[in-house]
Amino acid sequence: DIQMTQSPSFLSASVGDRVTINCKASQNINKYLNWYQQKLGEAPKRLIYNTNNLQTGIPSRFSGSGSGTDYTLTISSLQPEDFATYFCLQHNSFPNTFGAGTKLELK
Amino acid sequence: EVQLVESGGGLVKPGASLKLSCVASGFTFSDYWMSWVRQTPGKTMEWIGDIKYDGSYTNYAPSLKNRFTISRDNAKSTLYLQMSNVRSEDTATYYCTRRLQPYWGQGVMVTVSS
């Protein structure tokens, strides 16, 4: 199985900050990497698919980058509604695997 | 509007069986691969498996393959997850999703406890 190491696990930030969340795969996943946001009591929402494709309706302050084994989600200027938990998912190979999540909290 | 509505969760005893359902609407169900994903109380996400649009092929997480079975009834636009010999570590919220697309159900909670 491909292991997804997501960091950091927790992140404290302020409104307006630029933040980055990372996922490192245990092997090349060929950019088959999605990012999800989850708020308490809700299903995950897809933000980014295949590394850098912004899901329709998602604000442009969210962006993704990466290749090979290393991938990054960037939020350029945090808004109050962005405080949530974020997950990465690799779908290059079966079984698909998720990162452990990053909880983004208000500083 | 795409909707996925799971049902069938609840409290079950270790060793029991349980069948979850997911009714789809707002799209042609038989055109899409579907998946089940679960999230533990500690928030760990785990992909369970997929089923091809016509039900002819399934793929599972190796650790669950022997106990979980995914099926579908395209005439009823319904996806199923049959869980057998459940264990405490199967306690989770179970989501159905349109595979790798931004459509998820609201989730259904399964608690395994004696």
Side-chain angles (χ1 to χ4, degrees), chain A residues 18-80:
Chain A
R18 177 184 180 91
V19 300
T20 59
I21 298 170
N22 301 293
C23 269
K24 186 175 184 65
S26 58
Q27 62 191 72
N28 182 8
I29 56 171
N30 297 301
K31 297 192 172 186
Y32 290 110
L33 190 285
N34 295 351
W35 289 99
Y36 296 82
Q37 176 194 68
Q38 187 178 34
K39 297 182 178 179
L40 197 61
E42 298 182 4
K45 177 194 297 184
R46 192 173 76 172
L47 303 174
I48 302 282
Y49 62 97
N50 296 343
T51 296
N52 56 10
N53 295 280
L54 189 67
Q55 181 63 42
T56 301
I58 300 301
S60 59
R61 63 181 180 272
F62 292 93
S63 63
S65 63
S67 63
T69 61
D70 295 294
Y71 298 84
T72 299
L73 173 70
T74 300
I75 310 173
S76 61
S77 177
L78 274 173
Q79 298 302 301

Side-chain angles (χ1 to χ4, degrees), chain A residues 38 43 46 55 91 94-96, chain B residues 39 47 50 59 99-100 102 105:
Chain A
Q38 187 178 34
R46 192 173 76 172
Q55 181 63 42
H91 57 98
F94 292 111
N96 295 168
Chain B
Q39 185 171 35
W47 172 81
D50 300 331
N59 208 352
R99 173 161 168 77
L100 294 177

Side-chain angles (χ1 to χ4, degrees), chain A residues 1 34 36 38 40-46 49 55 85 87 89-91 94-100, chain B residues 33 37-39 43-47 50 57 59-62 95 99-107:
Chain A
D1 299 5
N34 295 351
Y36 296 82
Q38 187 178 34
L40 197 61
E42 298 182 4
K45 177 194 297 184
R46 192 173 76 172
Y49 62 97
Q55 181 63 42
T85 299
F87 295 94
L89 166 70
Q90 72 79 19
H91 57 98
F94 292 111
N96 295 168
T97 44
F98 288 86
Chain B
W33 286 67
V37 174
R38 68 183 182 181
Q39 185 171 35
K43 302 304 180 186
T44 299
M45 300 288 292
E46 182 177 19
W47 172 81
D50 300 331
Y57 180 79
N59 208 352
Y60 297 94
Y95 295 98
R99 173 161 168 77
L100 294 177
Q101 298 197 340
Y103 303 110
W104 292 56
Q106 84 287 353

Side-chain angles (χ1 to χ4, degrees), chain B residues 4-5 7-8 11 16 19 32 36-37 40 45 47 49-50 62-63 72 75 78 80 85-86 90 94 97 99 105-106:
Chain B
L4 299 168
V5 179
S7 62
L11 176 63
K19 190 171 188 176
Y32 291 91
W36 286 97
V37 174
T40 67
M45 300 288 292
W47 172 81
D50 300 331
S63 61
R72 65 193 296 162
T78 303
Y80 301 102
N85 189 23
V86 296
D90 295 323
Y94 287 74
T97 85
R99 173 161 168 77
Q106 84 287 353

Side-chain angles (χ1 to χ4, degrees), chain B residues 26-95:
Chain B
F27 65 100
T28 303
F29 182 70
S30 57
D31 284 349
Y32 291 91
W33 286 67
M34 298 294 293
S35 303
W36 286 97
V37 174
R38 68 183 182 181
Q39 185 171 35
T40 67
K43 302 304 180 186
T44 299
M45 300 288 292
E46 182 177 19
W47 172 81
I48 296 170
D50 300 331
I51 186 166
K52 192 176 178 180
Y53 47 81
D54 61 358
S56 64
Y57 180 79
T58 51
N59 208 352
Y60 297 94
S63 61
L64 301 175
K65 185 175 183 177
N66 293 333
R67 298 189 299 117
F68 287 17
T69 302
I70 298 173
S71 62
R72 65 193 296 162
D73 184 337
N74 284 346
K76 295 182 178 179
S77 296
T78 303
L79 177 71
Y80 301 102
L81 177 66
Q82 177 72 52
M83 305 166 61
S84 62
N85 189 23
V86 296
R87 307 165 179 168
S88 58
E89 53 264 39
D90 295 323
T91 295
T93 297
Y94 287 74
Y95 295 98

